[in-house]
Structures are given as C-alpha cells and as structure tokens.
Amino acid sequence: MRNRLLLLVLLLQSAVADLLITQSLSDQKEPVVHFTEVTDFAGITFRHISAPEKKYIVESIGGGVALFDYDNDGCMDIYFTNALTVDTANDPLASRSALYRNNCDGTFADVTEKSGLTYPGWANGVVAADFDGDGYQDLYVTCLGHNHFYHNNGDGTFTDITDRAGVDDHRWSTGAAVADYDKDGALDLFVSNYVDINLSKLPEFGKSKFCQYRGVPVQCGPKGLPGAGDSLFHNNGDGAFTDVSKKAGVADPEGRYGLGAVWTDVDGDGWLDLFVANDATGNYLYHNNKDGTFAEIGLQAGVSLDDDGVPLGSMGVTVGDYLHTGQFGIFITNFSGEHATLYHHDKPLQFTDVSYASKVAPVSTPFVGWGTGFFDYDNDGWPDLLAVNGHVYPQMENASVGTTYRQRILLFHNEHDGKFAEVAAESGSALMTPRVSRGVAFGDLDNDGYIDVVINNLDGKPTILKNDGGSHNNWITVKLVGTGKNRDAVGARVQVVCDDLTQWDEVHAGGSYLSSNDPRLHYGLGGRGKVRLIEIHWPDGKIETVASVPANNFLTIEEGRGITRTMPPSVRKSN
Amino acid sequence: MATSLSWAGKELCSISGQGPAKYKASNLQTVRLLASLVFCSVFAVSLCSQERLKISHDAAQRLFERREDAQASAAFRALLAVTEKERSAVSRRPHAERYKRDAELLGFYNRILASGHNFLGLIAARHEDFAEAVRQFATVRELQPDFPDADFNHGLALFGAQRYTEAVAPLEHALSREPSNSRVEKYVGLSLVETGRYESAVKLLEGIRSSQSDDPRVLLALGKALARLNRIDESRLVFEELFKSQPESSESHVMWGQIFAAQSQPREAEGEFRRALELDPKVSSAHFFLGMLCLSTERLEIARQEFAAELASHPQDSRARYHLAFVMMALQQTDQAISLLREVVTEQPGYAQAHFSLGKALLQKGNLKESIAHLETATRLDPSRTYSHYQLARAYQRAGRAAESEKEFKITHELEGRQNSRPSHTPEDMP
C-alpha cells in the first residue's frame, strides 16, 4: 500500500513537472538573433566616394560587394567597388576599390595594392567566379566605361585580362551574373547595362519633368534618358569569350534600364534561365530554349510587372525556396512609393505577385531598395529576407515628402506560412541606423555557422553586420567542387533533407544588387541534429547523394567523390 | 439649369388654332368631309389629352418651384406614366394607319417626357442623389438631344456622382454650344483635373479664374493641376491666393489639407483634415483624404478606418467605398472587397477602375468567368490602361484561352512605357 501511494505521489509529481515544463516552453519566445556592426573592429577602412549633391544619375548608382575566398584559406574575403564622380571622371586614380583578406580571426587586412584590383575606374558591380577552372575565383567588375575581368593568379595577385578574354562592355554596366547556360562545362557571363549616358552631355539637374520628384528638383533619369542594351559573353573554353547577346536573344534591344541579374533554373529542367531586374521598365525573365537561345517570358510568367500590371523601379533581386516547395520565389527591391515585390512560384514558369499577401509590401513602400538576399539568419530552416535601402536623391533628406534620403535596413523573418514579419527593430540597432546603402552580400565571414552581412554604402564607409547566432539553431554548410571548368558548380541545385524539413538551394554567382555572395550553400536546421540526406544535382546533370551527416559542419563535396572534407565551426569570438 | 416648359404651351396653342380651319365642307368632297369629321374627333380627343398633360405638368412644376419635392416627384412620375401610356398607344398604331398628326403627337409626348425626367433629375440633384440624377438626365438626352441644358445637366450630375471621366464628354458638348459660358467652362476644367488632363484643365481654369473667384474649387483645382505639371511656383501663388480668400471653416480646412497634400506635405495636410473634423465631425471628405494620406504611406489599417468613417457619414460616397475596397484587398480581405466593389460598379457602371479591381479580386478568388467579364468591361471603358489589359491577359491565361491571353499581353507590352500610371491610389483616378 505504501509503495502504491509512493508511486502515485511520484506520478503526480512527474505530471506536475511535465506541466511546468510544457508551460515554460510555451511561454518561451523564439530566441532573438542580433546583428552587430563590426566594421571598425574588422579593420575595414574603405570609403565609397560619391558627390554630395548627386546632381547626376551616374553619381547615385553606388557600388557592390563580392564575398569570395580568393586565397583558398577557407575564409571569405571582401571586395568593394568604388566609383568616380562627374568631377573626377577623367581621373581613375581618384577612386580606390578595395580587397580585404580575411584573417580568419574577425579582422581583415587591406591587400588591395598587392592584388592589382585598386583602380578599375568608375566601378559599379562585381561578380566572383572561377572562370577557367584553375581553383581560384576570378573577378569581373562592371563599370561606367570599360569593364574589367581580373584573373586570379593564385598568389594574391590578379591580372586584368579583359581585352584578351573579349569581355569588355564600354557602356554603363551594372549587374553581372555567371552561369553555364549552354551546359558546355564553361562558365558564361551576363552583364546588364543601365542608361546610355554621355558624360559630356549630362541632363541638367532639375530642368525637365524627369528631373523633379514630388515637386523637388533632383537629378534626371532614368526616365527620359535612353536605356542601354545588355550583353551575354559565351565562354569558348580557351580563355576567350564571344559576345552572343543578339544571337541568344538577350541583347535588350528595347534598352531597358538593367540592374540586378541572377541565373536560376526557373522550371527545374536542368537549364539555367536568367532574370534581369530593370529600373522603371518591365523585368526580363529569359527562359532557356536549350539551344543557345532564350525566350523572354517575363510578362507571361507574371514577373515583369507588379500585380497591378505596372513596371516598377527594380534594383536588386534574389531567389529562394522560401516555402519549401522546391520552386524558387523571386524577391525584388524597388523604388520608394512602390513596394518590394515577392513573386510566388505557382507552377513552372507561372508566378503570382504575393507582396501584400506575404506582408512584404506595406512596410517596404517608403524605401528605395537595393541589395537583397534570401538567407536563413536564424537557422530555423526557413529562408528569411533582408533588403538594404537608401534614396537616390539627397534632396529628400529635408524635403518632408514622406520619404528620406538615409534609410534603415528591412529584415523579414519567414513565418513559415508564406508570410514575413519585419523584425529589424528587434534584431539590433545596427539594422535601424539610417544609411544610403547599395550593394549587399551575404556570407559566413567568421565560419561560425551564422550568416553575416556586408553592405557597400554610397556615402562613406561600408557596414559589416555580424550575426551573433542568438538562435542557437543547428545548420549545415556545403561547398561544392565540380569537375571540369565549372569547379564552382555554379547552377548546381542541392536538396537537404532533415526529418520533416526539405530545403532546396542553388549555387549562384552574382545577384542581389551589383554583388556576389559567399558561394557556399547554407541551410538552417532548427533544433534537428542530423541531416538525413543531401542530394546534389550537378550542373552537368549528374545526381549524387550523401546521407546521415551531423549538423553544424562545413562540408566540401566534390563531384563524384562525395564529402571530401568536414570542418567544424570556428570558435565564436566576441568583439 | 433649365426649368421652363413655355415652349410646350406655345406649340399647343399653335396646333389648336390651325386644325379646324384646314377642313371646309363641299358637295364634291363628302367622303373627304366624313373622313375629316373622323379626324376631328380624334384630334379633339388628342387635344384634350394634350391640354390635360400640360395642366398636370404645370401643376407638378409649381410644386417643384415651391420646393415640395416629394409631391413634385410623385406628380411628375404620374405624369410620365400617363404620357408614356398615351405615347405607346399612338406608336403602336400600324404604320399605314398613322396620320401625319401622329408624328406631331409623338413629338409632343417626347417633350413632355423629357421635361418630366428633367425635373426628376433636378429633384434628385437637389437631394444629392446624383446616381438618380444621372439616370434622369441621361433619359432626357435620349428623348430629346436638343433639350435646353441637357448636356450640361447630365455632365453636372455625372460630376456630382464623381464619374468624372464620363462627365467630360457631355460638359464639353455643352461648352461647344455655349463657348463663353464660364460656368460650363468651370465644370469642364474641374472634371479635367479629376481625370488627370492637367494641361487642358489649366488652360480653361486660368481663363475663368477671375470670373469664378467666388468658387474656391477653381483655385484649388488650378493649384493642384499646376502642381501636377511641376509648375510649382505658379501653383504656390494660386494656393496663396486661395488661403487669403477663405475664412476658417471645416470645409476650408479640408481644402487646405488638399493643398498641403498636393504640395507633398503630408503632416500639414493631416493636421488640416483633423482640424476640419474637430469643427464638424461630419464634414465631407475629411476622413476620405485622411484615408488617402494613410494609403500613400501604406498605413492600411488606419486608411481602412478612415474610409469606413467617411462612408458612415456619407453612405453615398462611391469614392470612399471604392478606396475602402482597395484597402481591403491590400489587407487580403478579398471577400469584403468584392462585396464593396460590386456596390461600386452598380452605382457607377462606367467606372473602369472599379471593374478592374473587381475583376482582379475575383481572379484571386478563382472566379474566372466573372473576373473576365469585369476585366473586359474595364478594358472596353478605358482601353488605355496597361494594368487592365495585363490583368485580363492573366485571367485568360488561367482560363486556358491562350490566343486571347497572348493578344492582351501584346497590348500590355505595347502600352507599357507609354504610360504606367498606377491604378486607384489617388482621388484623381476616380472617373
């Protein structure tokens, strides 16, 4: 009898304890992730140059960021582009772009001079990719005037091989994106161009109806100015490229104002398609015809215009499997008075503008959005969104017209149901600081398993935002090494399956706005401790799987050889 | 507005004086005499009928003039019923049996009917039931296109019903008949501003600025149009003149709010609208414009409340109803939006954007058939709008009507770049 009573008491105690645990769990809020600005601590002294008044459109477009491991030491290095002004247009030495080597300890060293990447001229965008398959990532820098293709020599230096490779574009180039669109094994290059501008005949500030904004005189354009076509350079595989823009059908004869660009396999047919964000004109979605040509289907696919059928001032673009459907949605940043657009992928080649349904529209309306990315900042297994902002008109600063020149960051947390909650205010004051931002790239700078953010701001110093990993969720990061010339495996799609969670991602080179992200694929896993399956769809069509991988590791998977390297995260350092 | 029916009385006198003198008896014309007798009998009956209708009409008119609108309305409706019946009897006669006189009779009936509808339109307008006024004046123009002031009355009713796009044509027609009538010019100018034709509006409004100085709407519209044309300095001068001329009232604060809004000063505009509501919580349009301010900054929930408040005090305001529906769509409350938009298109069948929004909302709900019908209506009413063609293309695409879809995408592409105005965010987008 006594034993029975004791058992009853123990059972009751256990039940009460369970109840308390349940209550305490349900009371718990999701741990908050904070971003902290570490630019100064990191030793980044780069300053982007821009004329204070921005009297001309060429002075507002800003610069990009590339995160890439140029010396293959396993840590992401940073390249910032820098621009000239109308006053310094004839002096390429007036503006210095910068390469920072990651010391793998939270700090960076300026190695620009040695690298030979110092003075590309009026530089805008940048993309990093190993074009020749030598194991070292090269850089392509877009400029107003001549572009630059820098070959990575593997010894910390780069050589400008633009002319030899035949990839110059003397127009006003902005976005650049890399992919093997024809599956010949070599990486090709797309370059978007913006306005057909003549620096000696610039439209006069505030003088025509295209030079006014809400009654305030401002710089002119892009409306009212002629647009410039785009370029596609086919990699011949021998170090030279051929301009195939017209033949491929992506030359943009209408001259839309091209900015952000990304290659993605929209319909999952194994052939990469191309999305181009055009400012103030309809966006392009080029569907790959698998014969070296493309069909422009933006309008029919529902991604050229917004839901009202209106072309927006599109700047940056990112794609992501934000609903775990295996079909990537497209997120685009736009001008103020419009809103950021999120296109849901309904079925192959069919999208619906869900900006309002997803709740990204209302909050983004006052902002001029630029760089952006899907990234799982809290490692909960669902891609979130970040967009950096900042107006093009400094005259807005005191104009009291419902918008401002300096603008904060927007951070959208994926709520797992197709909706996003804007959470910048609770994710660190660094996100709420108003800036005039342009390019942004995402990557794990300190290899701690949490994605950091690097922003190139128009006026002055950049911003490095360190993710403090406050969610304590698990993750896995995958670096792919392909065979042949596409060693970066650009275009590969990777499925990661973990209990109830199935996520897809794709290797990109170029995207966001004028920028290039950490090429490694990163997947948050929530509280799940092990990955059941990783399935790699290599660009050449081969499918490879690896199974049962413990979480919280950096994996290197080589095509045909499986996992060849597993690295734990680095110990997190405080600053 | 025209209220007189004196022309009808004069014509009746003329007819009754001529008739009997025409027919003189003669031995050789016995048959003709008999026929004439029959004719005279019919004539006498019709004469009585005409006199009776005239008397009824004049009695109803007196009620109208004494502002006894309910009785006047009932009297005119009774008159219209009788007249319609008699006109039908005449018009039903086989063509071969019709006398020449019948044509005159039908003309008389039409004039009585036109006048009756005109008075009913005036009564409706007096009670700000502009939808009804539009119906009545449209009938007047149908029955008798040259009825005095028919175009102007119809245009003015459409203006009052906020159907600005439709109002322009009859008002311009009225202006072509009376090119120096500054009152007609004013309403053409005001309508042009509301439909975004700022250049033409400025030309007209500048011309009547001094002669219509007692109507603050003229300066307000002129200032807005100049602001939209980026003629900021001139706009500012007009607004300054307006400020000086207006004493403080709830209406003037609403107006000043619009001025600030036109000058992209939302905080000041909001202050004026709030002040207007403090003075008179039911002042027209204050909540509406507050809603518009909130809409422009995507404060959707507050915008919803403001439009709902405007509707609560002014239930006939289709403009507020449309924008409430617009916000409901943005808030993903599509069913409620559809319900509101159905009301709007019933009230304003010529409102292209309401058809567009309803079609779009129905498309979201998967109601392809009805969606396509409304989007087709929207493109027919206003073929220049890219967004209507685009949405129609999407609807056809979903319905598997590939050829029609491609055709609409092609039109969208052609229009794209030529104009890209966004639908329905501003009051100027209202028809």
Side-chain angles (χ1 to χ4, degrees):
Chain A
M1 185 65 184
R2 183 181 285 177
N3 284 344
R4 279 186 187 172
L5 277 173
L6 186 62
L7 181 63
L8 187 62
V9 168
L10 284 172
L11 282 171
L12 278 171
Q13 281 178 340
S14 167
V16 169
D18 281 350
L19 189 63
L20 287 173
I21 289 167
T22 310
Q23 277 180 339
S24 120
L25 283 174
S26 63
D27 288 345
Q28 272 180 355
K29 287 185 177 173
E30 273 188 51
V32 174
V33 173
H34 281 95
F35 288 89
T36 311
E37 174 158 11
V38 296
T39 317
D40 294 337
F41 174 84
I44 305 288
T45 57
F46 169 77
R47 296 289 182 270
H48 190 273
I49 292 169
S50 181
E53 291 179 71
K54 319 281 185 295
K55 285 190 172 178
Y56 308 100
I57 191 170
V58 289
E59 295 171 333
S60 278
I61 213 74
V65 186
L67 297 186
F68 70 125
D69 183 8
Y70 82 94
D71 54 357
N72 285 342
D73 65 354
C75 298
M76 285 295 127
D77 310 299
I78 307 174
Y79 184 71
F80 295 105
T81 66
N82 208 342
L84 296 167
T85 67
V86 171
D87 287 343
T88 63
N90 294 322
D91 179 10
L93 302 185
S95 156
R96 179 181 182 273
S97 296
L99 176 66
Y100 284 92
R101 182 170 56 78
N102 191 334
N103 297 325
C104 301
D105 62 356
T107 68
F108 290 78
D110 187 336
V111 293
T112 317
E113 307 303 336
K114 183 192 169 192
S115 71
L117 298 171
T118 318
Y119 300 112
W122 201 317
N124 297 131
V126 59
V127 62
D130 180 3
F131 283 93
D132 55 356
D134 65 355
Y136 289 92
Q137 287 204 298
D138 312 298
L139 280 188
Y140 186 85
V141 179
T142 63
C143 299
L144 170 55
H146 295 281
N147 297 341
H148 296 272
F149 184 24
Y150 295 107
H151 176 253
N152 187 336
N153 302 320
D155 60 358
T157 67
F158 291 77
T159 303
D160 189 335
I161 57 165
T162 316
D163 292 338
R164 193 186 343 146
V167 289
D168 195 6
D169 191 327
H170 60 276
R171 296 171 291 183
W172 183 1
S173 301
T174 49
V178 175
D180 176 15
Y181 74 88
D182 58 350
K183 292 170 93 69
D184 67 353
L187 290 176
D188 312 297
L189 170 68
F190 175 81
V191 177
S192 55
N193 289 295
Y194 193 49
V195 171
D196 185 6
I197 203 95
N198 181 345
L199 287 177
S200 60
K201 288 183 186 168
L202 287 167
E204 204 175 336
F205 179 87
K207 282 295 176 192
S208 84
K209 68 175 178 178
F210 296 115
C211 321
Q212 304 275 336
Y213 183 72
R214 299 188 180 181
V216 180
V218 295
Q219 63 181 236
C220 306
K223 279 190 178 175
L225 301 176
D230 301 326
S231 294
L232 177 62
F233 298 101
H234 175 256
N235 189 338
N236 303 333
D238 59 359
F241 291 70
T242 304
D243 185 342
V244 294
S245 318
K246 284 183 186 165
K247 181 183 155 199
V250 300
D252 179 25
E254 289 180 29
R256 297 191 184 178
Y257 309 119
L259 290 172
V262 66
W263 290 94
T264 180
D265 182 2
V266 169
D267 51 350
D269 63 357
W271 294 75
L272 285 161
D273 312 296
L274 175 65
F275 184 91
V276 185
N278 291 313
D279 190 1
T281 46
N283 300 314
Y284 286 133
L285 176 57
Y286 293 109
H287 182 237
N288 195 325
N289 292 331
K290 307 177 189 174
D291 59 359
T293 69
F294 294 81
E296 204 288 295
I297 58 161
L299 210 52
Q300 288 80 353
V303 294
S304 179
L305 312 173
D306 77 352
D307 194 30
D308 283 333
V310 175
L312 303 175
S314 299
M315 316 292 190
V317 57
T318 180
V319 296
D321 180 22
Y322 74 97
L323 272 173
H324 294 168
T325 59
Q327 294 184 318
F328 292 177
I330 302 175
F331 180 79
I332 300 165
T333 52
N334 295 305
F335 203 71
S336 68
E338 302 169 348
H339 56 73
T341 38
L342 177 61
Y343 294 100
H344 175 259
H345 201 160
D346 306 329
K347 57 183 179 180
L349 308 181
Q350 280 296 308
F351 291 79
T352 298
D353 179 349
V354 293
S355 310
Y356 277 96
S358 65
K359 297 191 180 293
V360 302
V363 68
S364 60
T365 298
F367 297 90
V368 181
W370 301 89
T372 185
F374 274 110
F375 77 123
D376 186 2
Y377 75 90
D378 58 353
N379 284 343
D380 66 352
W382 295 79
D384 311 296
L385 276 166
L386 183 142
V388 301
N389 304 293
H391 221 289
V392 293
Y393 309 131
Q395 294 76 16
M396 293 303 106
E397 195 62 13
N398 301 308
S400 299
V401 292
T403 188
T404 53
Y405 180 51
R406 293 167 202 284
Q407 298 177 333
R408 69 175 176 90
I409 289 168
L410 290 167
L411 179 63
F412 294 103
H413 180 256
N414 188 330
E415 300 287 280
H416 311 179
D417 58 358
K419 296 187 178 67
F420 289 82
E422 207 283 304
V423 296
E426 59 202 74
S427 305
S429 59
L431 299 186
M432 299 300 287
T433 304
R435 304 181 183 90
V436 188
S437 303
R438 293 296 185 259
V440 63
F442 302 83
D444 190 351
L445 295 180
D446 48 3
N447 287 336
D448 65 350
Y450 290 87
I451 301 297
D452 311 297
V453 183
V454 181
I455 303 165
N456 195 347
N457 297 311
L458 183 63
D459 298 310
K461 77 175 199 179
T463 306
I464 315 290
L465 295 172
K466 177 177 161 41
N467 183 332
D468 74 353
S471 72
H472 306 295
N473 280 327
N474 296 324
W475 51 273
I476 197 85
T477 295
V478 179
K479 178 186 176 184
L480 297 180
V481 180
T483 55
K485 284 200 158 57
N486 185 3
R487 279 181 60 86
D488 289 347
V490 174
R493 286 167 79 97
V494 180
Q495 183 189 33
V496 168
V497 183
C498 182
D499 296 336
D500 57 327
L501 198 66
T502 299
Q503 303 176 66
W504 282 91
D505 205 349
E506 192 174 52
V507 179
H508 300 127
S512 179
Y513 174 74
L514 315 186
S515 297
S516 195
N517 295 326
D518 182 340
R520 299 172 296 183
L521 300 179
H522 178 91
Y523 301 82
L525 303 176
R528 301 160 188 88
K530 188 179 256 188
V531 174
R532 182 161 61 82
L533 178 79
I534 300 176
E535 184 176 281
I536 304 109
H537 294 235
W538 294 98
D540 59 12
K542 290 179 187 141
I543 297 174
E544 188 172 349
T545 58
V546 294
S548 194
V549 181
N552 303 332
N553 277 301
F554 291 90
L555 309 178
T556 300
I557 300 176
E558 295 188 36
E559 185 171 1
R561 295 179 58 199
I563 296 172
T564 55
R565 191 176 185 201
T566 303
M567 286 274 292
S570 63
V571 177
R572 224 174 281 153
K573 292 181 174 64
S574 64
N575 48 52
Chain B
M1 295 182 190
T3 58
S4 170
L5 256 189
S6 56
W7 52 268
K10 282 177 191 163
E11 279 204 37
L12 279 168
C13 290
S14 160
I15 290 166
S16 57
Q18 286 171 4
K22 269 189 177 176
Y23 302 97
K24 292 177 183 172
S26 143
N27 290 333
L28 296 173
Q29 294 176 320
T30 310
V31 176
R32 284 183 187 174
L33 179 62
L34 283 171
S36 292
L37 284 170
V38 171
F39 175 83
C40 282
S41 313
V42 173
F43 175 74
V45 169
S46 64
L47 192 60
C48 291
S49 159
Q50 288 169 32
E51 288 293 354
R52 198 181 65 243
L53 292 176
K54 180 186 174 305
I55 290 164
S56 300
H57 178 278
D58 289 350
Q61 184 176 345
R62 280 193 294 279
L63 289 168
F64 172 82
E65 284 161 0
R66 290 204 300 268
R67 303 186 78 85
E68 294 171 14
D69 288 346
Q71 293 92 323
S73 180
F76 276 117
R77 286 186 195 284
L79 172 70
L80 291 178
V82 173
T83 311
E84 189 62 58
K85 194 176 168 190
E86 292 187 9
R87 187 181 71 158
S88 297
V90 173
S91 60
R92 271 203 304 270
R93 284 180 202 157
H95 192 70
E97 291 177 21
R98 279 195 201 164
Y99 297 95
K100 183 186 171 189
R101 169 88 189 130
D102 283 0
E104 291 171 354
L105 266 177
L106 286 172
F108 169 78
Y109 290 136
N110 276 353
R111 287 190 289 275
I112 288 283
L113 288 169
S115 179
H117 283 291
N118 189 54
F119 275 109
L120 286 174
L122 294 173
I123 292 167
R126 197 183 260 175
H127 294 272
E128 297 191 3
D129 184 355
F130 292 110
E132 174 61 14
V134 167
R135 276 192 289 277
Q136 296 296 345
F137 290 131
T139 310
V140 174
R141 290 180 78 200
E142 215 173 280
L143 287 163
Q144 198 182 341
D146 60 347
F147 189 91
D149 289 340
D151 292 325
F152 180 68
N153 287 351
H154 188 215
L156 202 54
L158 285 162
F159 182 89
Q162 300 161 355
R163 293 161 63 173
Y164 306 115
T165 306
E166 293 167 79
V168 171
L171 287 171
E172 284 184 332
H173 201 225
L175 190 59
S176 70
R177 287 169 185 243
E178 292 182 87
S180 57
N181 186 330
S182 61
R183 201 162 53 110
V184 183
E185 278 183 287
K186 175 173 77 178
Y187 283 102
V188 175
L190 295 178
S191 299
L192 289 173
V193 172
E194 298 294 348
T195 50
R197 291 162 61 184
Y198 303 119
E199 299 267 10
S200 312
V202 165
K203 277 182 201 159
L204 270 176
L205 295 172
E206 287 278 21
I208 57 160
R209 188 172 166 174
S210 52
S211 65
Q212 294 287 324
S213 59
D214 57 329
D215 187 346
R217 290 178 303 169
V218 173
L219 287 181
L220 179 61
L222 179 60
K224 277 168 72 174
L226 288 166
R228 299 279 178 183
L229 292 168
N230 276 325
R231 292 162 62 177
I232 302 302
D233 292 340
E234 293 166 80
S235 167
R236 206 159 279 150
L237 286 174
V238 170
F239 288 144
E240 279 169 12
E241 185 183 335
L242 188 56
F243 266 106
K244 284 177 201 160
S245 66
Q246 289 303 301
E248 179 164 354
S249 68
S250 57
E251 287 83 5
S252 67
H253 282 290
V254 172
M255 191 186 65
W256 292 340
Q258 290 179 72
I259 293 170
F260 284 123
Q263 293 182 319
S264 298
Q265 297 180 50
R267 271 190 295 254
E268 290 79 358
E270 184 167 344
E272 292 297 333
F273 296 134
R274 298 267 176 234
R275 178 78 185 121
L277 287 166
E278 278 168 24
L279 293 171
D280 176 5
K282 291 199 166 183
V283 63
S284 175
S285 298
H287 281 297
F288 172 78
F289 285 117
L290 279 169
M292 294 304 292
L293 281 179
C294 295
L295 192 55
S296 67
T297 50
E298 299 279 336
R299 289 175 290 162
L300 298 178
E301 184 50 40
I302 308 172
R304 186 192 66 74
Q305 291 167 20
E306 295 294 350
F307 292 133
E310 185 68 41
L311 269 181
S313 46
H314 303 93
Q316 307 247 0
D317 192 337
S318 298
R319 180 184 55 167
R321 198 176 340 276
Y322 172 79
H323 284 83
L324 178 59
F326 184 87
V327 174
M328 297 299 242
M329 280 179 73
L331 290 168
Q332 303 300 302
Q333 295 175 25
T334 314
D335 290 331
Q336 293 93 321
I338 287 172
S339 170
L340 287 162
L341 287 167
R342 285 193 200 283
E343 287 181 55
V344 176
V345 295
T346 305
E347 291 160 356
Q348 302 203 10
Y351 187 179
Q353 272 172 214
H355 285 286
F356 160 76
S357 294
L358 181 53
K360 186 178 150 189
L362 289 163
L363 185 61
Q364 279 178 20
K365 300 297 286 184
N367 185 343
L368 290 178
K369 192 178 169 191
E370 215 186 332
S371 164
I372 286 171
H374 283 287
L375 291 169
E376 284 174 341
T377 304
T379 54
R380 194 179 63 247
L381 289 169
D382 189 353
S384 68
R385 299 296 181 181
T386 313
Y387 47 78
S388 297
H389 291 286
Y390 177 68
Q391 213 61 237
L392 182 57
R394 300 274 288 171
Y396 282 144
Q397 190 182 46
R398 280 182 62 179
R401 294 162 66 171
E404 288 154 300
S405 172
E406 269 312 305
K407 185 184 158 206
E408 291 298 325
F409 275 129
K410 197 175 166 201
I411 297 170
T412 305
H413 185 69
E414 284 166 5
L415 289 172
E416 195 190 333
R418 267 192 260 161
Q419 58 90 15
N420 60 359
S421 63
R422 177 167 292 279
S424 61
H425 282 271
T426 63
E428 285 76 14
D429 287 324
M430 289 292 292

